[in-house]
Amino acid sequence: YALYHGKRNHRSMVTVFSTSHRNMIHLDASIEQALRKADFSEELEVYFQPIVDITTEKIVAFEALARWVNPVLGPISPAQFIPVAERTGIINQQTRILLEKALTAAAKWPAHIRLSFNLSAHDLSSPDIVQRIVQIIDQSKFNPRQLDMEITETAVMHDIEQAKWATEQIRKLGCGITLDDFGTGHSSLSQLHALSLSKIKIDRSFVTNIEKNPASLKIVKSLLALSRDMELDCIIEGVETTEEMAVIKEIGGSMVQGYLYSKPMPASGTEQWLHKNAMVTA
Ligand code: C2E
Ligand code: MG
Ligand code: MG
Ligand code: MG
């Protein structure tokens, strides 16, 4: 690949490309090595990011986001280690520990605050996914009606029949199902309709600079309309600025998640947020 480019493009480009590509492979290999040796109950932590109802300014949920700090490699972002964990099957063990940790933290919240938890593509395609979820929920004594499972469009498309079955079963447990990163995949409306969804989450890529980008505005407007037609709640992800927020309010968005409200924080930080929430009510 590098050689092919070398003949057509500038030489220095080739060097940049092949070096960074090689580094990526090295990094994946070191991540894999570290994952195989990791003590996840020690090294994995769950952070939480609030999801806010902008009509009331109150928190309605927190999304659980994995954080991994390895003693040798340091902090590694989930975008980097989740794909490696999926490829190696290590994700099964990770998902269990993350869900256990997330439920432990969420058990301290008021009952109307929901927990939103990311399932990976590998989780969704496992035949025993429902059993595994049931087991963890039972052990934790957490109310499944307070729990949403986030799945991505890409994971769904990997095996639509399995996704249909799994989402149905998970809904039967009482949990909600949120379609994450909505708009970035290649699913058709009829395929989405076949899934037992309760919410969709509009991807951050459509929200960034929405006030200056007519194309993004059109997309978000039509995704909002679509969610209304399908009678699904809609969360708009990645809101960073007051300009973006103003547009979202104008077009009738209701639930928002993003740095404008808060970055993901450790479990201890959620209590202060919930305290503030209580103040808003009073
Ligand atoms: P996601 O599920 O779409 O999560 C949202 C990501 O966007 C998070 O990144 C969050 O920190 C980031 N984000 C939220 N608001 C903003 C904003 O206003 N600006 C910007 N720039 N970013 C924002 P994070 O925590 O790095 O996670 C990245 C992805 O890794 C997640 O995307 C999800 O696909 C995956 N992931 C994270 N935790 C888990 C987990 O526990 N299990 C699984 N299977 N995947 C996870
Ligand atoms: Mg998510
Ligand atoms: Mg997302
Ligand atoms: Mg995303």
Side-chain angles (χ1 to χ4, degrees), residues 75-111:
I76 303 152
S77 87
Q80 275 180 316
F81 75 79
I82 298 277
V84 183
E86 291 216 48
R87 180 166 52 71
T88 53
I90 294 172
I91 193 77
N92 284 0
Q93 191 199 348
Q94 274 195 351
T95 300
R96 180 172 55 76
I97 290 170
L98 288 166
L99 185 56
E100 283 168 358
K101 289 193 175 199
L103 292 176
T104 303
K108 296 183 185 150
W109 306 339

Side-chain angles (χ1 to χ4, degrees), residues 150 180-181 201 203 237:
E150 296 192 13
D180 200 0
D181 302 341
K201 203 182 248 195
D203 193 65
E237 184 170 59

